[in-house]
Amino acid sequence: GGLPALFANIEYPNQAKANGIEGIVEVEFTVNELGMVENINIINGIGGGCDEEVVRALKKTRFSPAIQNGRFVKVKLSQRILFELKSLK
């Protein structure tokens, strides 16, 4: 799980490929006490289906929950995800 799984789950959207859309999607989200993602918020999107793809991939991804004082706790995270056409080749 975690970030490696998130990046493995992301697929470059066909609409973005067809229109040459590249850039960075910035997203904030919460990982709850069970390691599930909630409260997903796109901070800066690039369109072309990329924003929706980040949300879809995050909903599929599980993380290790944060631990504070021996208890699982919620943690708010932010992540930048690069969509770059040359990385497809």
Side-chain angles (χ1 to χ4, degrees):
L3 291 178
L6 171 62
F7 288 107
N9 284 333
I10 292 177
E11 298 175 15
Y12 214 112
N14 288 331
Q15 180 185 358
K17 282 192 268 187
N19 292 299
I21 295 172
E22 297 183 311
I24 295 173
V25 175
E26 294 184 62
V27 62
E28 287 183 346
F29 57 96
T30 301
V31 176
N32 70 17
E33 301 89 342
L34 301 174
M36 299 175 72
V37 175
E38 53 189 31
N39 302 324
I40 301 168
N41 184 27
I42 300 294
I43 302 302
N44 286 313
I46 59 173
C50 295
D51 308 345
E52 294 83 359
E53 179 58 16
V54 168
V55 171
R56 183 200 66 77
L58 273 169
K59 287 180 178 178
K60 245 179 102 166
T61 304
R62 297 294 174 258
F63 289 80
S64 296
I67 300 174
Q68 183 177 26
N69 298 326
R71 299 181 60 179
F72 294 122
V73 294
K74 288 185 180 184
V75 64
K76 190 171 188 175
L77 301 171
S78 61
Q79 183 64 45
R80 295 164 49 101
I81 299 164
L82 174 65
F83 284 86
E84 188 175 42
L85 288 168
K86 73 177 184 180
S87 66
L88 297 175
K89 296 175 179 153

